[in-house]
Amino acid sequence: MVYLTAAVVLVGLLGLANLLLLVGVVRRLRMLSAQLPEMVNGPEPGEKIPSFTALTSEGDPISAESLMGAPALIGFFSPGCAPCRQLLPEFVERAGRTSDPVMAVVVTGGDDDAAAEFERLAAVARVVREEPHGPLQKSFRVSEFPTVITTDATGTVIGSDVDLPETVHA
């Protein structure tokens, strides 16, 4: 009986210690989360697209100015991203139906195999490949994949989301 009482007291003390540690962790996480900046994914509607220059996968220069003059569609994709694989056919289909500028940024690490994505996107868009946390992601403030940005003819952002908009207004 003494052993059983000792075991129950030990389990109770371990449970109490676990509870105290959990309360400490939760308090610490709350303090840290209050210090984090609000996460923004892409430019807000009404903002101008940032100024940028990059080289497409074919070596051609592309810039913010080359996307102006007509509504533009800009997509950020990453290989190995399940939502990107789901959105890619719809993006390719939408891009194929328009004569407006379309840019696709494929964000890959050195070991990612993005050949299939390049082939599908290169047929309908100007494709830029960049490393994670690259200059285009920083300029456009993209932190989630996929991200689709639509602009009007002046380069003003109409929408920025992880999905295609229902319509792209001319």
Side-chain angles (χ1 to χ4, degrees):
M1 189 69 166
V2 174
Y3 294 116
L4 183 59
T5 304
V8 169
V9 169
L10 180 63
V11 168
L13 289 174
L14 287 174
L16 183 61
N18 188 21
L19 183 62
L20 289 173
L21 287 173
L22 180 62
V23 168
V25 167
V26 168
R27 287 184 64 201
R28 180 73 174 159
L29 285 174
R30 283 187 181 165
M31 286 177 14
L32 290 175
S33 67
Q35 296 171 359
L36 291 176
E38 184 179 329
M39 294 297 288
V40 176
N41 192 45
E44 294 291 323
E47 291 182 31
K48 291 281 191 184
I49 60 171
S51 179
F52 71 90
T53 56
L55 290 177
T56 66
S57 58
E58 291 146 2
D60 300 325
I62 187 170
S63 65
E65 291 77 27
S66 66
L67 297 177
M68 292 187 191
L73 184 63
I74 305 165
F76 286 80
F77 299 93
S78 178
C81 158
C84 294
R85 284 192 300 270
Q86 291 173 348
L87 184 64
L88 190 62
E90 187 179 345
F91 184 88
V92 168
E93 191 266 329
R94 173 80 56 89
R97 287 192 326 232
T98 184
S99 61
D100 297 331
V102 179
M103 180 176 82
V105 180
V106 179
V107 179
T108 66
D111 58 345
D112 289 336
D113 181 26
E117 282 83 1
F118 273 119
E119 288 176 24
R120 294 175 75 183
L121 288 169
V124 295
R126 298 177 74 185
V127 179
V128 176
R129 181 179 177 165
E130 78 174 6
E131 295 291 318
H133 310 291
L136 285 177
Q137 291 169 76
K138 290 178 184 174
S139 293
F140 281 90
R141 298 188 317 262
V142 171
S143 60
E144 296 177 358
F145 298 103
T147 295
V148 177
I149 300 166
T150 54
T151 68
D152 64 10
T154 64
T156 302
V157 174
I158 297 170
S160 175
D161 202 353
V162 293
D163 202 2
L164 279 173
E166 291 299 317
T167 59
V168 178
H169 301 286

